[in-house]
Amino acid sequence: MNWITKLIKPKIKSLFEKKSSKTEENLWTTCGCKNLIYKEDLQSNLKCCPKCGAHHKLSCKERFETFFDNKEYELIESPLPKDDPLGFEDNKRYVDRLKSARKITQQNDAVLIAKGKIKNIDVVVGAQDFRFIGGSFGAASGEAFIAGVQHSIENNMPFIFFSCSGGQRMMESSIALMQMSRTALAVNELKKKNIPYIVILTNPTTGGVTASWAMLGDILIAEPKATIGFAGRRVIQDTVRETLPEEFQTAEYIKDHGGIDLVVERKYLNSTIGTFLNVLLKKAEAQAKNESSNVTIDQSLQSAS
């Protein structure tokens, strides 16, 4: 009877399956607010729910298209370290998880780096895809981040990064943890060169990513209702043994308590960051001119003496 179950029943079922139901399934999606949303409406609204305003996750390329001027950008290649250096395996081999994530996202790792223009200002932008093992940050992500910083320094371009991650990648253990210090040092090099570094925290930004490069920006911006924190809500609640506020670890709560600078809707990110860059770059230019004039005065005084 097994062949009937395996072969006959699925064929009969497919004969009676309505084509319209497949079409409807492709045309509609749901949101956390339990409302049914027409996919085309969601896409045209930058993947923000038109009913409750929830900001749905974006892939790296979707992020670049919504952020760069005229949707124009160029990807920057980054080194790809050896897969699975520790031979990690739990209920599934790490190499298999990588294969699956690459198939879903069509990229080598969670991070992509691109360059383009924001309000006609040349910038380098990084983004994370949460579909790639929860946007977890490992050796390849670290290499991509550092490649972005290097390109930014070499071309004197502001560096902007969109975080979306559960933290460091546990399958790489201490190798992943090491990326926290590496990325922090890379950010320090940007600051030495007076190159603007802006971070946009999207939902979620947690763990080692929050504890390293994500909170080191000159300006910290978050998308509405994004979850931002280090440890999980339950862990903190069990540790302090107090009931936490309902809005705890939301972008709005973090802003009200001085953790970030702004909460900005997705559709305003391009214009808001463009304004910030204009101010920061003019300030850097004025500072450079001031330093140059001081050097000239010192030289003239030395020659006079």
Side-chain angles (χ1 to χ4, degrees), residues 13-37:
K13 189 179 178 182
S14 66
L15 288 171
F16 289 96
E17 191 179 38
K18 291 182 180 178
K19 289 183 181 179
S20 59
S21 63
K22 273 190 175 180
T23 308
E24 281 181 24
E25 198 176 2
N26 292 330
L27 292 175
W28 298 87
T29 187
T30 55
C31 177
C33 62
K34 305 288 174 69
N35 280 305
L36 200 62
I37 310 165

mmCIF file with all atom_site columns, all heavy atoms in Angstrom, residues 13-37:
data_model
loop_
_atom_site.group_PDB
_atom_site.id
_atom_site.type_symbol
_atom_site.label_atom_id
_atom_site.label_alt_id
_atom_site.label_comp_id
_atom_site.label_asym_id
_atom_site.label_entity_id
_atom_site.label_seq_id
_atom_site.pdbx_PDB_ins_code
_atom_site.Cartn_x
_atom_site.Cartn_y
_atom_site.Cartn_z
_atom_site.occupancy
_atom_site.B_iso_or_equiv
_atom_site.pdbx_formal_charge
_atom_site.auth_seq_id
_atom_site.auth_comp_id
_atom_site.auth_asym_id
_atom_site.auth_atom_id
_atom_site.pdbx_PDB_model_num
ATOM 1   N N   . LYS A 1 13 ? -4.283  14.501 -5.712  1.00 0.00 ? 13 LYS A N   1
ATOM 2   C CA  . LYS A 1 13 ? -4.384  15.792 -5.038  1.00 0.00 ? 13 LYS A CA  1
ATOM 3   C C   . LYS A 1 13 ? -4.033  16.946 -5.974  1.00 0.00 ? 13 LYS A C   1
ATOM 4   O O   . LYS A 1 13 ? -4.688  17.984 -5.987  1.00 0.00 ? 13 LYS A O   1
ATOM 5   C CB  . LYS A 1 13 ? -3.456  15.811 -3.814  1.00 0.00 ? 13 LYS A CB  1
ATOM 6   C CG  . LYS A 1 13 ? -3.639  17.029 -2.925  1.00 0.00 ? 13 LYS A CG  1
ATOM 7   C CD  . LYS A 1 13 ? -2.700  16.956 -1.745  1.00 0.00 ? 13 LYS A CD  1
ATOM 8   C CE  . LYS A 1 13 ? -2.843  18.200 -0.879  1.00 0.00 ? 13 LYS A CE  1
ATOM 9   N NZ  . LYS A 1 13 ? -1.904  18.191 0.252   1.00 0.00 ? 13 LYS A NZ  1
ATOM 10  N N   . SER A 1 14 ? -2.982  16.755 -6.775  1.00 0.00 ? 14 SER A N   1
ATOM 11  C CA  . SER A 1 14 ? -2.546  17.802 -7.695  1.00 0.00 ? 14 SER A CA  1
ATOM 12  C C   . SER A 1 14 ? -3.579  18.079 -8.779  1.00 0.00 ? 14 SER A C   1
ATOM 13  O O   . SER A 1 14 ? -3.696  19.199 -9.278  1.00 0.00 ? 14 SER A O   1
ATOM 14  C CB  . SER A 1 14 ? -1.205  17.424 -8.336  1.00 0.00 ? 14 SER A CB  1
ATOM 15  O OG  . SER A 1 14 ? -1.357  16.297 -9.165  1.00 0.00 ? 14 SER A OG  1
ATOM 16  N N   . LEU A 1 15 ? -4.369  17.056 -9.144  1.00 0.00 ? 15 LEU A N   1
ATOM 17  C CA  . LEU A 1 15 ? -5.405  17.236 -10.163 1.00 0.00 ? 15 LEU A CA  1
ATOM 18  C C   . LEU A 1 15 ? -6.511  18.162 -9.681  1.00 0.00 ? 15 LEU A C   1
ATOM 19  O O   . LEU A 1 15 ? -7.105  18.918 -10.451 1.00 0.00 ? 15 LEU A O   1
ATOM 20  C CB  . LEU A 1 15 ? -6.006  15.878 -10.560 1.00 0.00 ? 15 LEU A CB  1
ATOM 21  C CG  . LEU A 1 15 ? -5.101  14.967 -11.412 1.00 0.00 ? 15 LEU A CG  1
ATOM 22  C CD1 . LEU A 1 15 ? -5.747  13.585 -11.544 1.00 0.00 ? 15 LEU A CD1 1
ATOM 23  C CD2 . LEU A 1 15 ? -4.869  15.560 -12.793 1.00 0.00 ? 15 LEU A CD2 1
ATOM 24  N N   . PHE A 1 16 ? -6.804  18.074 -8.379  1.00 0.00 ? 16 PHE A N   1
ATOM 25  C CA  . PHE A 1 16 ? -7.908  18.849 -7.827  1.00 0.00 ? 16 PHE A CA  1
ATOM 26  C C   . PHE A 1 16 ? -7.459  20.168 -7.190  1.00 0.00 ? 16 PHE A C   1
ATOM 27  O O   . PHE A 1 16 ? -8.273  20.937 -6.720  1.00 0.00 ? 16 PHE A O   1
ATOM 28  C CB  . PHE A 1 16 ? -8.653  18.018 -6.763  1.00 0.00 ? 16 PHE A CB  1
ATOM 29  C CG  . PHE A 1 16 ? -9.453  16.892 -7.377  1.00 0.00 ? 16 PHE A CG  1
ATOM 30  C CD1 . PHE A 1 16 ? -8.904  15.608 -7.434  1.00 0.00 ? 16 PHE A CD1 1
ATOM 31  C CD2 . PHE A 1 16 ? -10.714 17.110 -7.907  1.00 0.00 ? 16 PHE A CD2 1
ATOM 32  C CE1 . PHE A 1 16 ? -9.622  14.567 -8.002  1.00 0.00 ? 16 PHE A CE1 1
ATOM 33  C CE2 . PHE A 1 16 ? -11.430 16.061 -8.474  1.00 0.00 ? 16 PHE A CE2 1
ATOM 34  C CZ  . PHE A 1 16 ? -10.892 14.786 -8.531  1.00 0.00 ? 16 PHE A CZ  1
ATOM 35  N N   . GLU A 1 17 ? -6.164  20.381 -7.184  1.00 0.00 ? 17 GLU A N   1
ATOM 36  C CA  . GLU A 1 17 ? -5.650  21.610 -6.590  1.00 0.00 ? 17 GLU A CA  1
ATOM 37  C C   . GLU A 1 17 ? -5.983  22.808 -7.474  1.00 0.00 ? 17 GLU A C   1
ATOM 38  O O   . GLU A 1 17 ? -5.748  22.801 -8.669  1.00 0.00 ? 17 GLU A O   1
ATOM 39  C CB  . GLU A 1 17 ? -4.129  21.504 -6.415  1.00 0.00 ? 17 GLU A CB  1
ATOM 40  C CG  . GLU A 1 17 ? -3.558  22.620 -5.566  1.00 0.00 ? 17 GLU A CG  1
ATOM 41  C CD  . GLU A 1 17 ? -2.061  22.452 -5.397  1.00 0.00 ? 17 GLU A CD  1
ATOM 42  O OE1 . GLU A 1 17 ? -1.410  22.035 -6.380  1.00 0.00 ? 17 GLU A OE1 1
ATOM 43  O OE2 . GLU A 1 17 ? -1.549  22.716 -4.304  1.00 0.00 ? 17 GLU A OE2 1
ATOM 44  N N   . LYS A 1 18 ? -6.510  23.846 -6.884  1.00 0.00 ? 18 LYS A N   1
ATOM 45  C CA  . LYS A 1 18 ? -6.899  25.032 -7.640  1.00 0.00 ? 18 LYS A CA  1
ATOM 46  C C   . LYS A 1 18 ? -5.676  25.881 -7.957  1.00 0.00 ? 18 LYS A C   1
ATOM 47  O O   . LYS A 1 18 ? -4.874  26.172 -7.094  1.00 0.00 ? 18 LYS A O   1
ATOM 48  C CB  . LYS A 1 18 ? -7.896  25.876 -6.836  1.00 0.00 ? 18 LYS A CB  1
ATOM 49  C CG  . LYS A 1 18 ? -9.250  25.203 -6.685  1.00 0.00 ? 18 LYS A CG  1
ATOM 50  C CD  . LYS A 1 18 ? -10.180 26.110 -5.931  1.00 0.00 ? 18 LYS A CD  1
ATOM 51  C CE  . LYS A 1 18 ? -11.548 25.462 -5.753  1.00 0.00 ? 18 LYS A CE  1
ATOM 52  N NZ  . LYS A 1 18 ? -12.455 26.320 -4.981  1.00 0.00 ? 18 LYS A NZ  1
ATOM 53  N N   . LYS A 1 19 ? -5.566  26.260 -9.209  1.00 0.00 ? 19 LYS A N   1
ATOM 54  C CA  . LYS A 1 19 ? -4.451  27.108 -9.620  1.00 0.00 ? 19 LYS A CA  1
ATOM 55  C C   . LYS A 1 19 ? -4.539  28.477 -8.961  1.00 0.00 ? 19 LYS A C   1
ATOM 56  O O   . LYS A 1 19 ? -3.544  29.098 -8.634  1.00 0.00 ? 19 LYS A O   1
ATOM 57  C CB  . LYS A 1 19 ? -4.438  27.271 -11.144 1.00 0.00 ? 19 LYS A CB  1
ATOM 58  C CG  . LYS A 1 19 ? -4.027  26.013 -11.884 1.00 0.00 ? 19 LYS A CG  1
ATOM 59  C CD  . LYS A 1 19 ? -3.974  26.279 -13.367 1.00 0.00 ? 19 LYS A CD  1
ATOM 60  C CE  . LYS A 1 19 ? -3.581  24.995 -14.124 1.00 0.00 ? 19 LYS A CE  1
ATOM 61  N NZ  . LYS A 1 19 ? -3.552  25.217 -15.574 1.00 0.00 ? 19 LYS A NZ  1
ATOM 62  N N   . SER A 1 20 ? -5.744  28.947 -8.745  1.00 0.00 ? 20 SER A N   1
ATOM 63  C CA  . SER A 1 20 ? -5.947  30.277 -8.170  1.00 0.00 ? 20 SER A CA  1
ATOM 64  C C   . SER A 1 20 ? -5.363  30.376 -6.767  1.00 0.00 ? 20 SER A C   1
ATOM 65  O O   . SER A 1 20 ? -4.863  31.415 -6.363  1.00 0.00 ? 20 SER A O   1
ATOM 66  C CB  . SER A 1 20 ? -7.435  30.623 -8.134  1.00 0.00 ? 20 SER A CB  1
ATOM 67  O OG  . SER A 1 20 ? -8.137  29.675 -7.360  1.00 0.00 ? 20 SER A OG  1
ATOM 68  N N   . SER A 1 21 ? -5.423  29.263 -5.991  1.00 0.00 ? 21 SER A N   1
ATOM 69  C CA  . SER A 1 21 ? -4.907  29.292 -4.627  1.00 0.00 ? 21 SER A CA  1
ATOM 70  C C   . SER A 1 21 ? -3.399  29.499 -4.636  1.00 0.00 ? 21 SER A C   1
ATOM 71  O O   . SER A 1 21 ? -2.839  30.183 -3.791  1.00 0.00 ? 21 SER A O   1
ATOM 72  C CB  . SER A 1 21 ? -5.240  27.996 -3.882  1.00 0.00 ? 21 SER A CB  1
ATOM 73  O OG  . SER A 1 21 ? -4.609  26.884 -4.500  1.00 0.00 ? 21 SER A OG  1
ATOM 74  N N   . LYS A 1 22 ? -2.696  28.923 -5.621  1.00 0.00 ? 22 LYS A N   1
ATOM 75  C CA  . LYS A 1 22 ? -1.247  29.110 -5.754  1.00 0.00 ? 22 LYS A CA  1
ATOM 76  C C   . LYS A 1 22 ? -0.945  30.569 -6.083  1.00 0.00 ? 22 LYS A C   1
ATOM 77  O O   . LYS A 1 22 ? -0.037  31.178 -5.545  1.00 0.00 ? 22 LYS A O   1
ATOM 78  C CB  . LYS A 1 22 ? -0.695  28.219 -6.857  1.00 0.00 ? 22 LYS A CB  1
ATOM 79  C CG  . LYS A 1 22 ? -0.335  26.825 -6.384  1.00 0.00 ? 22 LYS A CG  1
ATOM 80  C CD  . LYS A 1 22 ? 0.435   26.083 -7.464  1.00 0.00 ? 22 LYS A CD  1
ATOM 81  C CE  . LYS A 1 22 ? 0.904   24.736 -6.919  1.00 0.00 ? 22 LYS A CE  1
ATOM 82  N NZ  . LYS A 1 22 ? 1.645   23.994 -7.948  1.00 0.00 ? 22 LYS A NZ  1
ATOM 83  N N   . THR A 1 23 ? -1.741  31.125 -6.985  1.00 0.00 ? 23 THR A N   1
ATOM 84  C CA  . THR A 1 23 ? -1.544  32.504 -7.400  1.00 0.00 ? 23 THR A CA  1
ATOM 85  C C   . THR A 1 23 ? -1.755  33.449 -6.228  1.00 0.00 ? 23 THR A C   1
ATOM 86  O O   . THR A 1 23 ? -0.966  34.361 -5.994  1.00 0.00 ? 23 THR A O   1
ATOM 87  C CB  . THR A 1 23 ? -2.515  32.880 -8.538  1.00 0.00 ? 23 THR A CB  1
ATOM 88  O OG1 . THR A 1 23 ? -2.404  31.898 -9.564  1.00 0.00 ? 23 THR A OG1 1
ATOM 89  C CG2 . THR A 1 23 ? -2.203  34.250 -9.108  1.00 0.00 ? 23 THR A CG2 1
ATOM 90  N N   . GLU A 1 24 ? -2.831  33.198 -5.453  1.00 0.00 ? 24 GLU A N   1
ATOM 91  C CA  . GLU A 1 24 ? -3.138  34.037 -4.300  1.00 0.00 ? 24 GLU A CA  1
ATOM 92  C C   . GLU A 1 24 ? -2.028  33.987 -3.276  1.00 0.00 ? 24 GLU A C   1
ATOM 93  O O   . GLU A 1 24 ? -1.648  34.990 -2.680  1.00 0.00 ? 24 GLU A O   1
ATOM 94  C CB  . GLU A 1 24 ? -4.462  33.587 -3.656  1.00 0.00 ? 24 GLU A CB  1
ATOM 95  C CG  . GLU A 1 24 ? -5.688  34.094 -4.395  1.00 0.00 ? 24 GLU A CG  1
ATOM 96  C CD  . GLU A 1 24 ? -6.974  33.654 -3.704  1.00 0.00 ? 24 GLU A CD  1
ATOM 97  O OE1 . GLU A 1 24 ? -6.923  33.387 -2.490  1.00 0.00 ? 24 GLU A OE1 1
ATOM 98  O OE2 . GLU A 1 24 ? -8.008  33.575 -4.375  1.00 0.00 ? 24 GLU A OE2 1
ATOM 99  N N   . GLU A 1 25 ? -1.466  32.789 -3.083  1.00 0.00 ? 25 GLU A N   1
ATOM 100 C CA  . GLU A 1 25 ? -0.403  32.603 -2.118  1.00 0.00 ? 25 GLU A CA  1
ATOM 101 C C   . GLU A 1 25 ? 0.829   33.426 -2.504  1.00 0.00 ? 25 GLU A C   1
ATOM 102 O O   . GLU A 1 25 ? 1.539   33.942 -1.654  1.00 0.00 ? 25 GLU A O   1
ATOM 103 C CB  . GLU A 1 25 ? -0.037  31.112 -2.052  1.00 0.00 ? 25 GLU A CB  1
ATOM 104 C CG  . GLU A 1 25 ? 0.741   30.758 -0.802  1.00 0.00 ? 25 GLU A CG  1
ATOM 105 C CD  . GLU A 1 25 ? 1.008   29.270 -0.711  1.00 0.00 ? 25 GLU A CD  1
ATOM 106 O OE1 . GLU A 1 25 ? 0.630   28.529 -1.638  1.00 0.00 ? 25 GLU A OE1 1
ATOM 107 O OE2 . GLU A 1 25 ? 1.600   28.865 0.283   1.00 0.00 ? 25 GLU A OE2 1
ATOM 108 N N   . ASN A 1 26 ? 1.065   33.581 -3.775  1.00 0.00 ? 26 ASN A N   1
ATOM 109 C CA  . ASN A 1 26 ? 2.200   34.354 -4.247  1.00 0.00 ? 26 ASN A CA  1
ATOM 110 C C   . ASN A 1 26 ? 1.957   35.858 -4.213  1.00 0.00 ? 26 ASN A C   1
ATOM 111 O O   . ASN A 1 26 ? 2.898   36.636 -4.188  1.00 0.00 ? 26 ASN A O   1
ATOM 112 C CB  . ASN A 1 26 ? 2.566   33.942 -5.679  1.00 0.00 ? 26 ASN A CB  1
ATOM 113 C CG  . ASN A 1 26 ? 3.112   32.532 -5.738  1.00 0.00 ? 26 ASN A CG  1
ATOM 114 O OD1 . ASN A 1 26 ? 3.714   32.079 -4.784  1.00 0.00 ? 26 ASN A OD1 1
ATOM 115 N ND2 . ASN A 1 26 ? 2.900   31.851 -6.844  1.00 0.00 ? 26 ASN A ND2 1
ATOM 116 N N   . LEU A 1 27 ? 0.699   36.248 -4.231  1.00 0.00 ? 27 LEU A N   1
ATOM 117 C CA  . LEU A 1 27 ? 0.364   37.666 -4.293  1.00 0.00 ? 27 LEU A CA  1
ATOM 118 C C   . LEU A 1 27 ? 0.245   38.330 -2.928  1.00 0.00 ? 27 LEU A C   1
ATOM 119 O O   . LEU A 1 27 ? 0.362   39.538 -2.812  1.00 0.00 ? 27 LEU A O   1
ATOM 120 C CB  . LEU A 1 27 ? -0.945  37.874 -5.058  1.00 0.00 ? 27 LEU A CB  1
ATOM 121 C CG  . LEU A 1 27 ? -0.924  37.564 -6.560  1.00 0.00 ? 27 LEU A CG  1
ATOM 122 C CD1 . LEU A 1 27 ? -2.313  37.704 -7.142  1.00 0.00 ? 27 LEU A CD1 1
ATOM 123 C CD2 . LEU A 1 27 ? 0.052   38.486 -7.284  1.00 0.00 ? 27 LEU A CD2 1
ATOM 124 N N   . TRP A 1 28 ? 0.012   37.543 -1.888  1.00 0.00 ? 28 TRP A N   1
ATOM 125 C CA  . TRP A 1 28 ? -0.248  38.085 -0.561  1.00 0.00 ? 28 TRP A CA  1
ATOM 126 C C   . TRP A 1 28 ? 0.767   37.585 0.460   1.00 0.00 ? 28 TRP A C   1
ATOM 127 O O   . TRP A 1 28 ? 1.342   36.521 0.323   1.00 0.00 ? 28 TRP A O   1
ATOM 128 C CB  . TRP A 1 28 ? -1.658  37.715 -0.097  1.00 0.00 ? 28 TRP A CB  1
ATOM 129 C CG  . TRP A 1 28 ? -2.734  38.264 -0.971  1.00 0.00 ? 28 TRP A CG  1
ATOM 130 C CD1 . TRP A 1 28 ? -3.258  37.699 -2.090  1.00 0.00 ? 28 TRP A CD1 1
ATOM 131 C CD2 . TRP A 1 28 ? -3.397  39.514 -0.819  1.00 0.00 ? 28 TRP A CD2 1
ATOM 132 N NE1 . TRP A 1 28 ? -4.207  38.515 -2.652  1.00 0.00 ? 28 TRP A NE1 1
ATOM 133 C CE2 . TRP A 1 28 ? -4.319  39.641 -1.883  1.00 0.00 ? 28 TRP A CE2 1
ATOM 134 C CE3 . TRP A 1 28 ? -3.311  40.548 0.125   1.00 0.00 ? 28 TRP A CE3 1
ATOM 135 C CZ2 . TRP A 1 28 ? -5.138  40.743 -2.034  1.00 0.00 ? 28 TRP A CZ2 1
ATOM 136 C CZ3 . TRP A 1 28 ? -4.133  41.656 -0.023  1.00 0.00 ? 28 TRP A CZ3 1
ATOM 137 C CH2 . TRP A 1 28 ? -5.036  41.737 -1.098  1.00 0.00 ? 28 TRP A CH2 1
ATOM 138 N N   . THR A 1 29 ? 0.974   38.380 1.506   1.00 0.00 ? 29 THR A N   1
ATOM 139 C CA  . THR A 1 29 ? 1.825   37.978 2.624   1.00 0.00 ? 29 THR A CA  1
ATOM 140 C C   . THR A 1 29 ? 1.214   38.507 3.914   1.00 0.00 ? 29 THR A C   1
ATOM 141 O O   . THR A 1 29 ? 0.261   39.289 3.872   1.00 0.00 ? 29 THR A O   1
ATOM 142 C CB  . THR A 1 29 ? 3.267   38.509 2.447   1.00 0.00 ? 29 THR A CB  1
ATOM 143 O OG1 . THR A 1 29 ? 4.096   37.964 3.469   1.00 0.00 ? 29 THR A OG1 1
ATOM 144 C CG2 . THR A 1 29 ? 3.318   40.033 2.515   1.00 0.00 ? 29 THR A CG2 1
ATOM 145 N N   . THR A 1 30 ? 1.738   38.061 5.036   1.00 0.00 ? 30 THR A N   1
ATOM 146 C CA  . THR A 1 30 ? 1.207   38.518 6.322   1.00 0.00 ? 30 THR A CA  1
ATOM 147 C C   . THR A 1 30 ? 2.251   39.333 7.071   1.00 0.00 ? 30 THR A C   1
ATOM 148 O O   . THR A 1 30 ? 3.444   39.250 6.806   1.00 0.00 ? 30 THR A O   1
ATOM 149 C CB  . THR A 1 30 ? 0.773   37.331 7.205   1.00 0.00 ? 30 THR A CB  1
ATOM 150 O OG1 . THR A 1 30 ? 1.887   36.428 7.339   1.00 0.00 ? 30 THR A OG1 1
ATOM 151 C CG2 . THR A 1 30 ? -0.404  36.611 6.612   1.00 0.00 ? 30 THR A CG2 1
ATOM 152 N N   . CYS A 1 31 ? 1.776   40.130 8.024   1.00 0.00 ? 31 CYS A N   1
ATOM 153 C CA  . CYS A 1 31 ? 2.643   40.962 8.857   1.00 0.00 ? 31 CYS A CA  1
ATOM 154 C C   . CYS A 1 31 ? 2.426   40.570 10.314  1.00 0.00 ? 31 CYS A C   1
ATOM 155 O O   . CYS A 1 31 ? 1.470   39.851 10.641  1.00 0.00 ? 31 CYS A O   1
ATOM 156 C CB  . CYS A 1 31 ? 2.305   42.433 8.623   1.00 0.00 ? 31 CYS A CB  1
ATOM 157 S SG  . CYS A 1 31 ? 3.256   43.566 9.667   1.00 0.00 ? 31 CYS A SG  1
ATOM 158 N N   . GLY A 1 32 ? 3.282   41.055 11.191  1.00 0.00 ? 32 GLY A N   1
ATOM 159 C CA  . GLY A 1 32 ? 3.127   40.781 12.621  1.00 0.00 ? 32 GLY A CA  1
ATOM 160 C C   . GLY A 1 32 ? 1.832   41.329 13.184  1.00 0.00 ? 32 GLY A C   1
ATOM 161 O O   . GLY A 1 32 ? 1.353   40.870 14.230  1.00 0.00 ? 32 GLY A O   1
ATOM 162 N N   . CYS A 1 33 ? 1.238   42.312 12.494  1.00 0.00 ? 33 CYS A N   1
ATOM 163 C CA  . CYS A 1 33 ? -0.028  42.891 12.950  1.00 0.00 ? 33 CYS A CA  1
ATOM 164 C C   . CYS A 1 33 ? -1.224  42.023 12.560  1.00 0.00 ? 33 CYS A C   1
ATOM 165 O O   . CYS A 1 33 ? -2.375  42.402 12.761  1.00 0.00 ? 33 CYS A O   1
ATOM 166 C CB  . CYS A 1 33 ? -0.199  44.300 12.383  1.00 0.00 ? 33 CYS A CB  1
ATOM 167 S SG  . CYS A 1 33 ? -0.283  44.361 10.569  1.00 0.00 ? 33 CYS A SG  1
ATOM 168 N N   . LYS A 1 34 ? -0.941  40.849 11.963  1.00 0.00 ? 34 LYS A N   1
ATOM 169 C CA  . LYS A 1 34 ? -1.938  39.845 11.567  1.00 0.00 ? 34 LYS A CA  1
ATOM 170 C C   . LYS A 1 34 ? -2.756  40.258 10.337  1.00 0.00 ? 34 LYS A C   1
ATOM 171 O O   . LYS A 1 34 ? -3.724  39.602 9.975   1.00 0.00 ? 34 LYS A O   1
ATOM 172 C CB  . LYS A 1 34 ? -2.903  39.534 12.731  1.00 0.00 ? 34 LYS A CB  1
ATOM 173 C CG  . LYS A 1 34 ? -2.211  39.108 14.022  1.00 0.00 ? 34 LYS A CG  1
ATOM 174 C CD  . LYS A 1 34 ? -1.635  37.728 13.931  1.00 0.00 ? 34 LYS A CD  1
ATOM 175 C CE  . LYS A 1 34 ? -0.832  37.382 15.187  1.00 0.00 ? 34 LYS A CE  1
ATOM 176 N NZ  . LYS A 1 34 ? -1.657  37.209 16.366  1.00 0.00 ? 34 LYS A NZ  1
ATOM 177 N N   . ASN A 1 35 ? -2.367  41.356 9.708   1.00 0.00 ? 35 ASN A N   1
ATOM 178 C CA  . ASN A 1 35 ? -3.077  41.791 8.508   1.00 0.00 ? 35 ASN A CA  1
ATOM 179 C C   . ASN A 1 35 ? -2.494  41.138 7.266   1.00 0.00 ? 35 ASN A C   1
ATOM 180 O O   . ASN A 1 35 ? -1.286  40.882 7.185   1.00 0.00 ? 35 ASN A O   1
ATOM 181 C CB  . ASN A 1 35 ? -2.978  43.319 8.356   1.00 0.00 ? 35 ASN A CB  1
ATOM 182 C CG  . ASN A 1 35 ? -3.969  44.045 9.242   1.00 0.00 ? 35 ASN A CG  1
ATOM 183 O OD1 . ASN A 1 35 ? -5.162  43.780 9.182   1.00 0.00 ? 35 ASN A OD1 1
ATOM 184 N ND2 . ASN A 1 35 ? -3.470  44.948 10.065  1.00 0.00 ? 35 ASN A ND2 1
ATOM 185 N N   . LEU A 1 36 ? -3.364  40.869 6.294   1.00 0.00 ? 36 LEU A N   1
ATOM 186 C CA  . LEU A 1 36 ? -2.939  40.335 5.005   1.00 0.00 ? 36 LEU A CA  1
ATOM 187 C C   . LEU A 1 36 ? -2.540  41.515 4.118   1.00 0.00 ? 36 LEU A C   1
ATOM 188 O O   . LEU A 1 36 ? -3.291  42.477 3.976   1.00 0.00 ? 36 LEU A O   1
ATOM 189 C CB  . LEU A 1 36 ? -4.095  39.558 4.370   1.00 0.00 ? 36 LEU A CB  1
ATOM 190 C CG  . LEU A 1 36 ? -3.757  38.545 3.278   1.00 0.00 ? 36 LEU A CG  1
ATOM 191 C CD1 . LEU A 1 36 ? -2.866  37.433 3.808   1.00 0.00 ? 36 LEU A CD1 1
ATOM 192 C CD2 . LEU A 1 36 ? -5.034  37.953 2.704   1.00 0.00 ? 36 LEU A CD2 1
ATOM 193 N N   . ILE A 1 37 ? -1.323  41.446 3.543   1.00 0.00 ? 37 ILE A N   1
ATOM 194 C CA  . ILE A 1 37 ? -0.811  42.568 2.750   1.00 0.00 ? 37 ILE A CA  1
ATOM 195 C C   . ILE A 1 37 ? -0.532  42.119 1.330   1.00 0.00 ? 37 ILE A C   1
ATOM 196 O O   . ILE A 1 37 ? 0.047   41.048 1.109   1.00 0.00 ? 37 ILE A O   1
ATOM 197 C CB  . ILE A 1 37 ? 0.496   43.131 3.353   1.00 0.00 ? 37 ILE A CB  1
ATOM 198 C CG1 . ILE A 1 37 ? 0.331   43.403 4.847   1.00 0.00 ? 37 ILE A CG1 1
ATOM 199 C CG2 . ILE A 1 37 ? 0.925   44.401 2.646   1.00 0.00 ? 37 ILE A CG2 1
ATOM 200 C CD1 . ILE A 1 37 ? 1.639   43.594 5.559   1.00 0.00 ? 37 ILE A CD1 1
#
